[in-house]
Amino acid sequence: MIENIDLVGDIRVEADNVVIRNVRISAPQSSDIDQWGILQWVGYTGLTVEDSEIGGRSDTELRQAVMNDGGMVTVLRCNIHGMSKKGVYTSQGDIEDNYIHDPYWFVAADGEIDMIRVDGSPDPGTSLLVKHNALIDTTTTNSALSLFEADGGTPSRVTVEDNYMATAGWAIYAGGQTAATSEIVVKDNVFATKFKDGYSYVTEWNPNGPGNVWSGNKWADGKAAPVLLS
């Protein structure tokens, strides 16, 4: 258990079932790059981060606020902001009730800014739940949630439910129209109308992927937001 601390720097987790609670993690001042705020390392699982704040700085590039190279991770009720690439970076786990918002733009980060980023497939027997988060980036042209094929894996077993997304770029990059995505369920989300020209709430959705479901999604004014195949 790590709790009730105010830390400048980062935490690297190399143990199972660690709980990080009620902490504030800030990137070092005037440092070049801080690769992560919290990292669960390869071979470890069960990390929980809850009721905490992870923040970057305008003069320090915090690339990933919460980064998971291991097994399951849970991120609950956190305030995550100021990152230059990813707010939460994982392919499996539970991401609920978080406020992930307002990244900083750094040229060195190549504009790869996502509030939540998924690369490849979840581990066997696991899945990813993204529920009831506020994902807000109205200044760059990247995504609230991005799903990508990586390392031979394709996103699958992802549920995206009851989130609020306000973005200037795509709200959801859904993996690829012809990618072999499966069991991607996107339901009951709300999208704000803050997009730059040419962008909207979803791109690269595969409607033919087995188990892929798009339902109940709406604009902020209550109008339906059907699947767009662009």
Side-chain angles (χ1 to χ4, degrees):
M1 174 78 72
I2 301 171
E3 63 179 340
N4 304 329
I5 62 171
D6 191 341
L7 171 69
V8 176
D10 57 74
I11 298 175
R12 174 171 167 145
V13 175
E14 297 189 26
D16 290 339
N17 303 319
V18 170
V19 176
I20 299 174
R21 174 185 299 152
N22 193 34
V23 305
R24 181 169 64 183
I25 297 176
S26 304
Q29 186 173 6
S30 299
S31 178
D32 291 333
I33 295 175
D34 204 10
Q35 291 289 349
W36 59 77
I38 299 173
L39 169 67
Q40 178 170 253
W41 189 234
V42 177
Y44 301 96
T45 191
L47 171 65
T48 296
V49 183
E50 60 186 17
D51 302 306
S52 296
E53 179 180 2
I54 304 102
R57 305 175 59 91
S58 61
D59 60 353
T60 296
E61 188 182 341
L62 173 61
R63 292 202 161 174
Q64 284 79 216
V66 179
M67 182 174 180
N68 179 31
D69 282 339
M72 291 293 286
V73 64
T74 299
V75 184
L76 302 174
R77 301 179 301 275
C78 290
N79 179 8
I80 296 172
H81 57 91
M83 59 285 176
S84 67
K85 284 199 171 187
K86 289 93 176 175
V88 178
Y89 193 6
T90 186
S91 296
Q92 62 261 336
D94 184 358
I95 306 170
E96 291 194 59
D97 297 309
N98 302 285
Y99 180 30
I100 307 176
H101 61 105
D102 296 310
Y104 285 122
W105 177 270
F106 287 83
V107 172
D110 300 323
E112 297 180 6
I113 303 174
D114 303 299
M115 303 306 97
I116 299 172
R117 172 72 171 260
V118 174
D119 277 345
S121 306
D123 292 340
T126 70
S127 60
L128 176 64
L129 175 63
V130 178
K131 185 175 182 179
H132 201 239
N133 302 280
L135 308 175
I136 299 175
D137 174 13
T138 58
T139 59
T140 76
T141 54
N142 289 73
S143 301
L145 170 66
S146 286
L147 311 177
F148 282 97
E149 296 181 286
D151 299 325
T154 304
S156 64
R157 302 191 299 280
V158 179
T159 298
V160 183
E161 179 181 359
D162 191 29
N163 300 281
Y164 174 77
M165 304 184 197
T167 60
W170 300 108
I172 300 174
Y173 182 92
Q177 289 185 43
T178 61
T181 58
S182 61
E183 298 180 63
I184 308 297
V185 177
V186 182
K187 63 181 182 178
D188 302 330
N189 298 283
V190 175
F191 305 107
T193 55
K194 298 181 180 293
F195 305 103
K196 293 184 178 180
D197 290 345
Y199 294 87
S200 193
Y201 49 85
V202 63
T203 188
E204 295 298 326
W205 172 262
N206 181 357
N208 301 311
N212 287 356
V213 175
W214 182 281
S215 69
N217 300 296
K218 297 179 180 180
W219 293 101
D221 63 5
K223 294 181 180 178
V227 169
L228 300 176
L229 299 180
S230 61

